[in-house]
Amino acid sequence: MPDALPTLPHLALELDDGLLHVTIDRADKRNAINDPLIESLHALFHTPPEGTQAVVLSGRGEHFSAGLDLAEHREREPLEVMRHSQYWHATFQQMEFGGLPIVAALHGAVIGGGLELAMTAHVRVADDSTFYQLPEGRRGIFVGGGASVRVARVIGADRTREMMLTGRRYDAAEGQRLGLSHHLVAPGAALEKAFELARTVAANAPASNYMMLNALARIENMPMAEGLFTESLAAALTQTSEHAREGMRAFLDKREAKFDGD
Ligand code: 1HE
């Protein structure tokens, strides 16, 4: 009997056949990310429910997320803001590197901290209603949830700066062209596509997924020789596992691989 799913503010959770569906559940505030919501994500991804093989992340209502909860803004000392931003970073680091593949289904507004949240996902599916924006300049603030790194890694520092300076909105087609989404589907179809992709990812060997999530983004920041060395280490760890034997045997036997016991 699997453990009951935790009850966490502003998140709706469903676990079915290894896929954990995490819905940001604050539609009345356009899924704006307040402290209880980021704390919920922190708790969830530090201790994911047993049996989770992949996550589908989506937002309730008309929008994925309107970003930082601006109503929560209050006077903070510089060190308080540092800690607040670093708490977001710790949460999103755990999401990106925790070892659980995340597939995001995006629609409507993916703004500010909502875009930072979306960029923790390893696979991003957007529908045609999606738009992306970093309006921090108009709000008198700066990004604090990792956009300088995770958005810039995808679209480049130059485009990120222009996006922030002018507050421009990229629509779904532009976002797809730039790599903010990997798949673009008809309005309302993102969740179904995200589940389909999550099922595919979850069927991989867990150690292979873990290495893809943990090695590639780090190797990108390494000099070539260190990157290649790290790739060899990752290969050595995965290719000597029972799952590797099963994966290769299944191919030669002309059947689907089955990775039990992970
Ligand atoms: C909010 C927020 C929010 C909506 N914080 N309450 N993010 C932004 O600058 C985006 C601000 N939001 C918007 O531009 C729009 O709300 C949307 C385009 C997303 C949606 O528009 P719409 O017409 O569907 O909704 P609305 O009427 O604007 O908002 C509905 C309610 O949600 C309303 O509250 P109500 O009590 O009057 O009903 C809004 O106040 C509330 N709401 N967005 C708080 N963001 C780690 S650093 C990251 C820095 C950032 O993320 S900066 C970007 C902040």
Side-chain angles (χ1 to χ4, degrees), residues 23-32 58-67 105-111 126-132 169 172 186-191:
T23 308
I24 311 291
D25 196 8
R26 208 182 167 224
D28 57 331
K29 298 293 179 189
R30 307 306 183 252
N31 297 323
S58 65
R60 184 92 71 212
E62 299 299 306
H63 301 280
F64 176 74
S65 171
L106 307 177
H107 72 296
V110 183
I111 294 184
D127 84 8
D128 273 327
S129 70
T130 309
F131 60 95
Y132 310 88
R169 267 182 184 211
L191 199 54

Side-chain angles (χ1 to χ4, degrees), residues 79-140:
L79 264 185
E80 273 184 276
V81 178
M82 279 291 293
R83 290 198 185 97
H84 189 252
S85 164
Q86 287 179 311
Y87 188 85
W88 279 55
H89 289 165
T91 304
F92 290 174
Q93 280 290 97
Q94 186 63 27
M95 292 176 72
E96 183 176 356
F97 294 113
L100 272 184
I102 302 174
V103 182
L106 307 177
H107 72 296
V110 183
I111 294 184
L115 179 56
E116 292 174 316
L117 171 63
M119 298 310 283
T120 67
H122 311 99
V123 180
R124 296 178 297 279
V125 182
D127 84 8
D128 273 327
S129 70
T130 309
F131 60 95
Y132 310 88
Q133 206 179 5
L134 290 172
E136 280 79 355
R138 293 309 309 150
R139 311 284 179 252

Side-chain angles (χ1 to χ4, degrees), residues 118-197:
M119 298 310 283
T120 67
H122 311 99
V123 180
R124 296 178 297 279
V125 182
D127 84 8
D128 273 327
S129 70
T130 309
F131 60 95
Y132 310 88
Q133 206 179 5
L134 290 172
E136 280 79 355
R138 293 309 309 150
R139 311 284 179 252
I141 57 177
F142 195 69
V143 291
S148 328
V149 176
R150 287 196 187 85
V151 175
R153 193 168 67 195
V154 173
I155 69 172
D158 176 68
R159 263 186 221 279
T160 307
R161 181 174 53 202
E162 193 274 341
M163 193 178 173
M164 289 180 70
L165 279 171
T166 64
R168 79 187 284 165
R169 267 182 184 211
Y170 282 119
D171 67 19
E174 290 167 322
Q176 170 73 9
R177 188 172 50 78
L178 291 170
L180 293 173
S181 65
H182 302 106
H183 299 262
L184 183 58
V185 295
L191 199 54
E192 192 185 334
K193 182 71 180 172
F195 268 99
E196 177 197 321
L197 292 165

